[in-house]
Amino acid sequence: LDDRERGMAKVTTIAYRSGVLAGDSQATDDQLWQARKIHRIDTSAGELLVGICGDVHSGLVFVEWLKDDRSRKPDMGHEDFEAIVIASNGRVTIWTQSLIGWTPTGKFFAIGSGAKAAMGAMWAGKTAYEAVCIAAKVDPYTRKPVHTLELGG
């Protein structure tokens, strides 16, 4: 079974290391699309970098929720969705469609279908950008071009 048949539609690769968030541009549905999956948003609490994977609609609803005051939870539907959010102080939080975030520990992070390849690349000393490029070589749901955003940039 592939990821979609197992209900794991988090298809993309997003990686973060040393203040840089990188994400591929493939969106997979009945056909292939290109989409920007990393975003810089300004909130009352400061700048956030956000990378989304899985259902694109849910990801965009999540980004709008982050821009808003977060006082009411939006309907995220039933589609599989995951996001990585980096605060201006470098704190990393992982979110799912339940809108309950958790803070992982480590020096670098990756989410999505190419996360294992990206993590292996970063363990070998590669940047977040290089890690997503490597994931694009082995993960069929990850494709160039790879976009990057820097904290404070």
Side-chain angles (χ1 to χ4, degrees), residues 29-31 63 69 76 78-79 100 126 134 140 152:
D29 199 348
D30 292 338
Q31 54 189 321
V63 168
D69 63 8
M76 297 299 289
H78 300 290
E79 298 298 323
I100 298 173
K126 301 297 184 183
I134 289 168

Side-chain angles (χ1 to χ4, degrees), residues 7-129:
M8 298 171 56
K10 295 178 206 154
V11 292
T12 201
T13 304
I14 308 290
Y16 175 74
R17 181 179 198 156
S18 301
V20 176
L21 182 67
D24 78 302
S25 57
Q26 178 175 315
T28 307
D29 199 348
D30 292 338
Q31 54 189 321
L32 295 178
W33 305 89
Q34 281 199 355
R36 185 142 181 118
K37 300 177 205 168
I38 59 172
H39 307 270
R40 179 188 315 277
I41 60 175
D42 291 314
T43 69
S44 58
E47 173 190 69
L48 298 174
L49 299 183
V50 182
I52 57 173
C53 66
D55 181 66
V56 173
H57 173 74
S58 295
L60 295 175
V61 168
F62 176 76
V63 168
E64 289 304 313
W65 177 71
L66 287 175
K67 289 179 185 177
D68 200 9
D69 63 8
R70 297 192 216 180
S71 62
R72 68 187 158 91
K73 287 187 174 184
D75 179 10
M76 297 299 289
H78 300 290
E79 298 298 323
D80 205 9
F81 156 79
E82 190 173 29
I84 184 169
V85 176
I86 297 90
S88 56
N89 65 3
R91 181 177 181 216
V92 175
T93 309
I94 306 292
W95 297 81
T96 64
Q97 66 267 26
S98 68
L99 296 180
I100 298 173
W102 62 279
T103 302
T105 58
K107 295 184 182 207
F108 44 83
F109 310 92
I111 60 172
S113 54
K116 289 180 182 176
M119 288 297 290
M122 289 188 288
W123 275 108
K126 301 297 184 183
T127 66
Y129 173 83

